[in-house]
Amino acid sequence: MVKCCCVYKCRNVCNSEARAKGVSFFRFPKDKRKRRAWTNAVNRDKWTPNEHSWICSDHFVEGWHGDDPGDENYAPTLFSYKKKRTEDDFDREQRRLDRETIRERLCSEKVNMEREKAHLEFSVLVHGSYCKIDDSGDHDQDIAAAVPCAYHEITDDVDVPIMTCDSGVQCEEDPLLIENRHLKKEVRRLQEELRKHKWGAECIRDDDAMTRFYTGLPSFAIFLWLYNYLSSKCSRMTYWRGEGQTSSSDRLRMSPSCLRPIDQLFAVLMRLKVGLYVQDISERFQISSASFSMYFSTWISLIHAELKFLNPFPSKDIIMRTMPESFKAKYPSTRVIIDCTELFIQSSSSLINQSLTFSSYKHHTIVKFLVGISPSGVITFVSDAWPGKTSDRQLTEECGLLELLEPNDSVMADKGFTIADLLEKRQCFLNIPPFRGILR
């Protein structure tokens, strides 16, 4: 069945055109309160949503719905046929939601009290079989009289032994309760032991030295700042599950047994900083290798998208202020120092791709990056990955670095970069320093 938006006068259909626009489609939620809010927002006469009812992301402020009733994305709010909602409308809606919340809480408390009372009465009657009853009294009246007294004295009918308040009844503790208490202690002990062996962000909590070693960040406070900055994005991100298996509309919901987002970030930073193998990290965090690969690929894309603005290409003024004295004396116009680095990759099954990525210099299939640093040693530029067969000249010409240079800048590189003519067109210069083997 074709997915189409159920909103009046909305013509969005799940096809290639909608995907190109970034339009997603959401089913009506199963939560009764949220489903009722969506249905009221759609406001169609004598209409009830079913399992084939969808709403597109154009009707949500940020293109995604939230679970907080106070959030403006809790229900669809953008409709072309409706006038724009005022602040009074939002206040009125919030008051209505508050009233529903109070009503649901009161109903829940009432149900819990009735359930607790029923459990108590049943517990007293069941445990009566373990009591030694005095023959001088009426058995049924004694048990009935014990119910109200036990109700006020006992708050937990599992951990606290049931004792009656009648002097003619002497109760023994239920053997099942004793066994239950021992099992609870054993479960708590095993859970505590499991937490000691399972890795997580708690391993570096309030320990700046451990944080620097495993993540490269200067302190645990910086790690928390980074996670808090990314947490709002990671709650809505789609996990990468492979080409053709990653859906752009149906978000992957984590089950309670999955790794927490803060632990996912910690595991990703551990692999980047320490260079641990996937199998090693998987065993430390007690997840499968496939799960960690999914986390790693997804978080790398998220970190790149959200943090690339932190390290822009520096201006000439910043370069001059941070330039070492040795550069100021001999190479004062140096703007960037460039070189290429390579990463080994698996051989492709495609002969064309294998030919493009094979390097005769490295004798392996590789991808190349152009890396630029400032004279002070700070990384200021990293290009996209290029096939290993790409020459240094072509990579420098097409990676976008030359567009960042200004007239009279000089680029320092080794003798393999034959880019002097490319720099002259931009009124820049190539500086190839003498190598140690040449100087005698």
Side-chain angles (χ1 to χ4, degrees):
M1 179 176 290
V2 178
K3 299 179 185 177
C4 58
C5 185
C6 65
V7 175
Y8 176 64
K9 288 188 177 180
C10 182
R11 301 291 184 266
N12 284 337
V13 180
C14 184
N15 52 24
S16 57
E17 181 179 356
R19 286 191 290 270
K21 295 179 181 179
V23 178
S24 303
F25 288 82
F26 311 121
R27 292 182 186 271
F28 273 70
K30 295 182 179 180
D31 181 70
K32 293 182 179 180
R33 180 181 177 185
K34 190 173 182 180
R35 189 183 186 92
R36 183 169 59 253
W38 284 32
T39 305
N40 294 337
V42 173
N43 195 23
R44 291 177 58 178
D45 187 27
K46 298 179 180 179
W47 177 80
T48 303
N50 54 34
E51 60 180 1
H52 302 297
S53 300
W54 301 81
I55 293 183
C56 67
S57 57
D58 286 350
H59 305 291
F60 295 88
V61 176
E62 297 181 359
W64 182 250
H65 59 87
D67 295 327
D68 183 9
D71 188 3
E72 61 181 348
N73 286 322
Y74 184 70
T77 56
L78 304 179
F79 302 97
S80 59
Y81 63 91
K82 289 186 178 181
K83 65 178 182 179
K84 188 176 181 181
R85 301 179 68 184
T86 63
E87 193 69 24
D88 294 338
D89 295 333
F90 285 108
D91 294 340
R92 190 180 302 109
E93 180 69 16
Q94 182 62 38
R95 290 195 297 270
R96 186 185 63 81
L97 292 176
D98 292 341
R99 288 195 299 270
E100 290 185 1
T101 301
I102 295 174
R103 191 182 303 112
E104 291 178 358
R105 187 177 69 250
L106 292 177
C107 292
S108 178
E109 291 177 355
K110 182 178 179 181
V111 171
N112 290 336
M113 290 181 61
E114 293 178 353
R115 185 182 296 113
E116 182 179 358
K117 184 176 180 180
H119 286 175
L120 180 62
E121 294 176 355
F122 177 77
S123 179
V124 172
L125 294 176
V126 170
H127 298 317
S129 60
Y130 294 95
C131 297
K132 298 177 180 178
I133 307 299
D134 190 359
D135 295 337
S136 61
D138 189 353
H139 299 174
D140 296 336
Q141 295 180 356
D142 292 341
I143 294 177
V147 172
C149 180
Y151 180 78
H152 293 291
E153 293 181 357
I154 299 173
T155 58
D156 190 348
D157 61 351
V158 176
D159 291 333
V160 181
I162 302 297
M163 302 295 292
T164 65
C165 60
D166 195 303
S167 59
V169 180
Q170 182 179 1
C171 293
E172 297 178 355
E173 192 172 3
D174 189 348
L176 294 177
L177 297 180
I178 299 176
E179 182 180 2
N180 182 277
R181 188 159 52 247
H182 290 166
L183 290 176
K184 279 188 173 182
K185 292 181 180 179
E186 182 69 14
V187 169
R188 285 194 292 267
R189 186 187 66 80
L190 292 176
Q191 289 177 344
E192 185 65 26
E193 185 176 353
L194 180 62
R195 278 193 292 268
K196 292 180 181 179
H197 293 283
K198 183 178 180 180
W199 278 65
E202 291 79 7
C203 296
I204 60 173
R205 176 181 295 175
D206 301 328
D207 193 335
D208 294 343
M210 292 282 286
T211 303
R212 285 192 296 270
F213 178 78
Y214 283 108
T215 68
L217 300 176
S219 65
F220 184 71
I222 298 297
F223 172 79
L224 289 181
W225 173 89
L226 176 61
Y227 171 72
N228 291 331
Y229 177 79
L230 299 173
S231 59
S232 60
K233 284 81 175 178
C234 73
S235 62
R236 301 196 306 262
M237 67 183 177
T238 302
Y239 286 84
W240 175 256
R241 309 187 74 180
E243 189 70 30
Q245 298 182 5
T246 304
S247 174
S248 60
S249 57
D250 296 331
R251 310 285 175 163
L252 177 63
R253 296 298 184 188
M254 293 187 300
S255 63
S257 61
C258 291
L259 206 60
R260 298 179 303 169
I262 190 172
D263 295 334
Q264 296 176 23
L265 176 61
F266 178 46
V268 170
L269 295 179
M270 278 183 59
R271 176 156 172 78
L272 292 176
K273 173 61 170 61
V274 188
L276 300 177
Y277 290 111
V278 173
Q279 185 65 33
D280 187 2
I281 295 180
S282 301
E283 292 180 358
R284 289 172 185 256
F285 289 86
Q286 298 181 9
I287 57 177
S288 65
S289 299
S291 296
F292 175 72
S293 297
M294 178 180 65
Y295 296 149
F296 186 80
S297 301
T298 306
W299 275 92
I300 287 295
S301 300
L302 177 64
I303 292 174
H304 173 262
E306 297 297 330
L307 302 183
K308 61 182 178 181
F309 72 92
L310 293 178
N311 191 26
F313 194 74
S315 63
K316 185 180 295 187
D317 178 62
I318 295 178
I319 294 294
M320 293 301 299
R321 281 189 291 161
T322 59
M323 183 176 291
E325 293 298 330
S326 57
F327 271 84
K328 290 182 179 179
K330 296 184 179 180
Y331 313 106
S333 62
T334 302
R335 185 71 179 275
V336 64
I337 306 169
I338 62 173
D339 200 0
C340 285
T341 185
E342 300 85 11
L343 292 177
F344 284 11
I345 61 174
Q346 293 180 346
S347 299
S348 173
S349 58
S350 171
L351 295 179
I352 297 177
N353 293 337
Q354 186 174 354
S355 174
L356 291 174
T357 56
F358 185 80
S359 171
S360 57
Y361 178 70
K362 295 290 184 178
H363 304 289
H364 204 279
T365 52
I366 61 173
V367 290
K368 296 178 63 174
F369 301 85
L370 180 69
V371 180
I373 65 172
S374 66
S376 60
V378 178
I379 297 177
T380 59
F381 181 84
V382 179
S383 71
D384 294 333
W386 286 72
K389 199 174 183 179
T390 307
S391 64
D392 294 345
R393 175 186 172 89
Q394 180 184 358
L395 180 52
T396 307
E397 182 179 9
E398 300 182 11
C399 70
L401 175 64
L402 300 181
E403 285 75 9
L404 301 175
L405 301 177
E406 300 177 14
N408 299 322
D409 285 343
S410 65
V411 178
M412 182 174 290
D414 62 24
K415 59 183 180 180
F417 286 82
T418 57
I419 56 174
D421 57 326
L422 300 178
L423 295 175
E424 288 178 1
K425 295 179 182 179
R426 300 180 178 273
Q427 301 179 11
C428 298
F429 310 96
L430 176 64
N431 187 2
I432 301 178
F435 290 88
R436 184 177 179 181
I438 299 177
L439 298 177
R440 297 293 184 184

